Amino acid sequence: MKKKCSQTKNFIFSKNKKMAEDEIVFLPIDKISQQTEDQFLFRFKTTISHDPGQFFQCSLLGIGESAISICSHSENFFELSIRSVGNVTNKLCNLKKGDQIGLRGPYGHGYEMEQFHNKDMVIIGGGSGVAPLRGILEHLSKYREKFGTVEIFFGFRGEKDILFESDFEKWQKKDMSLAFTLSEEHKHPKAKKGFVTNILENLKVTKNKLIFLCGPPIMITNTAKMLLEKGFMKSQIYVSEERQMKCAVGRCGHCMIKGKYCCTDGPVFRYDELY
Ligand SMILES: Cc1cc2nc3c(=O)[nH]c(=O)nc-3n(C[C@H](O)[C@H](O)[C@H](O)COP(=O)(O)OP(=O)(O)OC[C@H]3O[C@@H](n4cnc5c(N)ncnc54)[C@H](O)[C@@H]3O)c2cc1C
Ligand code: FES
């Protein structure tokens, strides 16, 4: 995969300002909406440039810092979908509109969408792994004519865990097929029961397809195994990896994965780079 030096292009929070590598800016939250019992969508107004799949280090002074993926694609704002799981994210999820969050980034090697023009796109997400993939889907919605077919497969635990359901119809209207599963018993009229792998059985293997996979480690392992057994090549699969970050700029070695830095070489990797 082409190695990108994103660190200068992307440190732009306004048309005039370039950020130093680890500079923090404090931005007020423009909008918050609750997505599930413990997950919230935050919007920040800013003219930042970013690729889907990149992430921010989000901080609260005196509390700490967490890596959060950008889950939108707009020139006027960006959105972060944050799940409350611990010290920092619990506090972030208790903030209100107008409160400020410290942000540095965007960091990392995301999905370079121009590389994928004319390809058939297969988007497979599990649980909160759907969030970074939403950035791809918003890009595809905007530049639909530049890509081939688009097939979306999502898996969630229960009805109350479905993320971005209000976007589903919009994506389908843009000629993208969408199917999703719920692993718990449910009455949702559009969901199938089971894991996301259960709806991949009829996925046709072609050389023009690229697969974008994001979710919990067990879901990535099982889905990648199934795709390879079906006949896809490792070079057709992109995975987004999560490793605990500290510096996020390739200095501390905290996020090392198979000899690569998750923060700067990733978090998006082509499957054959790692496995
Ligand atoms: C590249 C990247 C992108 C990411 N994107 C997103 C995203 O878009 N959205 C998102 O929500 N997250 C995302 N994450 C994950 C997010 O960074 C972590 O969930 C977050 O940093 C956790 O920080 P915390 O301080 O809230 O939790 P911590 O306090 O550090 O807790 C982390 C884990 O430890 C467990 N834990 C905490 N306290 C205890 C305790 N007392 N006893 C036992 N277990 C405990 C928690 O349940 C949790 O599983 C991403 C991570 C990476 C690396
Ligand atoms: S987080 Fe420090 S090297 Fe990646």
Side-chain angles (χ1 to χ4, degrees):
M1 189 199 281
K2 189 178 72 151
K3 172 130 174 142
K4 182 176 87 165
C5 181
S6 57
Q7 268 34 353
T8 42
K9 171 182 130 192
N10 288 315
F11 292 124
I12 302 166
F13 275 80
S14 73
K15 284 189 175 114
N16 303 319
K17 188 169 183 207
K18 272 196 174 191
M19 291 190 55
E21 190 176 68
D22 44 13
E23 188 181 343
I24 298 183
V25 291
F26 290 85
L27 289 185
I29 300 164
D30 181 48
K31 196 172 159 191
I32 306 183
S33 40
Q34 186 159 7
Q35 299 184 283
T36 67
E37 198 181 12
D38 59 359
Q39 194 147 346
F40 295 80
L41 186 65
F42 294 74
R43 179 178 287 197
F44 299 87
K45 266 194 201 158
T46 178
T47 53
I48 187 171
S49 91
H50 61 270
D51 285 335
Q54 286 190 297
F55 66 94
F56 275 106
Q57 287 291 93
C58 301
S59 61
L60 290 172
L61 287 182
I63 311 276
E65 200 173 38
S66 281
I68 304 291
S69 305
I70 298 165
C71 68
S72 56
H73 181 76
S74 166
E75 282 160 15
N76 305 314
F77 64 84
F78 65 85
E79 288 176 323
L80 307 174
S81 174
I82 304 180
R83 184 150 172 241
S84 171
V85 296
N87 198 25
V88 178
T89 49
N90 288 347
K91 300 273 187 322
L92 287 169
C93 289
N94 275 312
L95 295 178
K96 296 184 291 302
K97 179 180 157 98
D99 289 342
Q100 295 199 340
I101 294 185
L103 293 152
R104 55 187 185 99
Y107 291 130
H109 192 121
Y111 305 99
E112 293 175 358
M113 297 305 291
E114 291 74 21
Q115 277 188 18
F116 310 137
H117 284 175
N118 301 316
K119 290 289 185 184
D120 295 324
M121 309 285 279
V122 181
I123 313 292
I124 306 175
S128 50
V130 161
L133 298 174
R134 181 186 180 239
I136 300 187
L137 291 164
E138 293 296 287
H139 181 102
L140 292 174
S141 297
K142 198 165 170 190
Y143 302 103
R144 184 67 191 86
E145 69 290 350
K146 294 187 188 291
F147 298 87
T149 58
V150 180
E151 296 166 271
I152 307 167
F153 302 93
F154 288 157
F156 302 99
R157 196 173 295 168
E159 285 188 53
K160 61 182 184 342
D161 304 307
I162 303 173
L163 290 175
F164 304 109
E165 193 173 9
S166 57
D167 291 325
F168 289 4
E169 208 180 308
K170 178 182 80 183
W171 295 333
Q172 286 169 311
K173 280 187 182 153
K174 289 276 182 177
D175 195 22
M176 310 190 207
S177 72
L178 188 150
F180 65 102
T181 60
L182 299 174
S183 52
E184 286 178 355
E185 288 300 332
H186 67 88
K187 294 196 173 123
H188 196 297
K190 295 187 179 160
K192 297 227 161 57
K193 167 99 172 51
F195 295 116
V196 73
T197 39
N198 298 127
I199 48 173
L200 293 175
E201 274 156 15
N202 297 326
L203 178 66
K204 288 210 173 73
V205 180
T206 71
K207 288 200 171 124
N208 199 41
K209 281 188 181 172
L210 290 178
I211 294 157
F212 300 86
L213 196 52
C214 190
I218 183 73
M219 174 260 177
I220 296 205
T221 306
N222 290 343
T223 310
K225 184 167 174 266
M226 179 182 186
L227 293 168
L228 296 172
E229 280 168 6
K230 264 176 154 315
F232 284 105
M233 290 182 300
K234 286 184 178 181
S235 58
Q236 290 180 273
I237 303 173
Y238 289 81
V239 286
S240 184
E241 293 280 340
E242 282 195 10
R243 287 293 179 281
Q244 257 208 335
M245 303 280 179
K246 273 224 153 109
C247 70
V249 291
R251 279 193 219 132
C252 70
H254 208 77
C255 65
M256 212 66 158
I257 163 171
K258 307 249 167 122
K260 291 181 186 282
Y261 292 115
C262 187
C263 63
T264 50
D265 297 320
V268 175
F269 293 95
R270 213 172 67 181
Y271 201 70
D272 56 353
E273 288 183 276
L274 294 183
Y275 302 102

